Amino acid sequence: MSNGLQVIRAQSLRTRNTFGIDATTPLALRVNDPAQLPEALAMAPDALVLGGGSNLLLVSTPDAVLELANDDIGVIAEDGDHVVVRCGAGAVWHDFVMATLRRGWSGLENLSLIPGTVGASPIQNIGAYGVEVMERIIAVDAWDRHEARWTRFTATDCAFTYRDSRFKHEPDRYVVTSVEFRLDRIPRLRLDYAGIRDELAVMAIDTPAANDVAEAVVRIRRRKLPDPAVIGNAGSFFKNPIVATGLAEALRGAHPDLPVFPAGSPDCCKLSAAWLIDRCGWKGHRDGDAGVSAGHALVLVNHGHATGAQLLDLARRIAASVQECFGVAIEPEPRIIGARW
Ligand SMILES: Cc1cc2nc3c(=O)[nH]c(=O)nc-3n(C[C@H](O)[C@H](O)[C@H](O)COP(=O)(O)OP(=O)(O)OC[C@H]3O[C@@H](n4cnc5c(N)ncnc54)[C@H](O)[C@@H]3O)c2cc1C
């Protein structure tokens, strides 16, 4: 350890990726202060930045990983109705959401209980229950490995779209060190997403506060999604495909129960990947320890000792069958380390 930089040789990653893939990296660097990043990266310029490991599939073992531990929360600006809050990249996302709610700042409640870190939240523009984090991010601070300098992105620079951002397209370039969010002092709750109102009704809450919405989301998620602490998984393995409106209409004609959602333009629509995969008969499928959740067709699971290659092989066969049955290409949401999709 020197100046807040921890150097660990032969670090097991099994508990550091939510699939629970067994791998041991020769070198793990843990940075407590972002100022130490240049020193850390001099030791391992291509180190994989590892947050909570909840959106990764390790097909091969990275030569080095870099973890950020800075988790400070600070107020940058306040006006009547809003507050601008900066959070260190190493903070656990759900802890940050809870901390904002405790201070009376709302806007992130629908994103409660998403695993991972604050630093990873802009990478795939996390989203859930009708809200995407891009609606709240106003700036991202990062170290640019190509240029060897600090850089700051506005939300526009981040090029956010559905489960995507500029960072996803240059995965080894930027190390996000902190993220700034614009939150509300006067809540504007988003209850329109299926399930939230019903859950609030079960909780006997008529006039919810932001905390209540967070609690409703936590309850729904705990019920619906397999817990990585119990069975290895990375949440939804596939993104919902965005297709031409003509194809969506043709598919709807053949399959009237196919869920079709708007995709932000009249030319295209978003389809439910879960529905497509379920219709191909994959829910509950198991090949050795690599499988598909019995409760959720989008979630690939590790029943114990599956390798990343076995899970990737299963994912490829699922995608091929969806392509064959429906003529629709589905793509993985997690980053695949050591193989190309
Ligand atoms: C049970 C479960 C439920 C989930 N539900 C949702 C959901 O509802 N919505 C959703 O959007 N996602 C969901 N996910 C996916 C995942 O939680 C998010 O993508 C999360 O943001 C990943 O954070 P992480 O810290 O674990 O990232 P990691 O898995 O560690 O990393 C993911 C990618 O981000 C990069 N990265 C991480 N931190 C940084 C950084 N500081 N700087 C630069 N690059 C970085 C990594 O190098 C990697 O490329 C779920 C996952 C699980 C296991």
Side-chain angles (χ1 to χ4, degrees), residues 16 18-19 47-56 66 68 89-90 93 111-129 142 145 163 167-168 171-172 174-178 221 225-228 233-236 299 333 335 337:
R16 287 178 146 77
T18 58
F19 262 127
L48 170 71
V49 187
L50 185 61
S54 64
N55 212 24
L56 285 178
L66 175 74
L68 290 120
W93 173 260
L111 305 177
S112 298
L113 213 62
I114 296 180
T117 54
V118 166
S121 65
I123 307 297
Q124 77 151 357
N125 175 26
I126 56 170
Y129 294 90
R145 296 195 229 197
R163 298 293 184 277
F167 308 112
K168 236 180 161 174
D172 297 316
Y174 301 106
V175 181
V176 172
T177 53
S178 66
R221 291 184 69 100
L225 288 172
D227 180 355
N233 74 88
S236 301
V299 180
E333 195 179 292
R335 178 164 172 206
I337 305 297

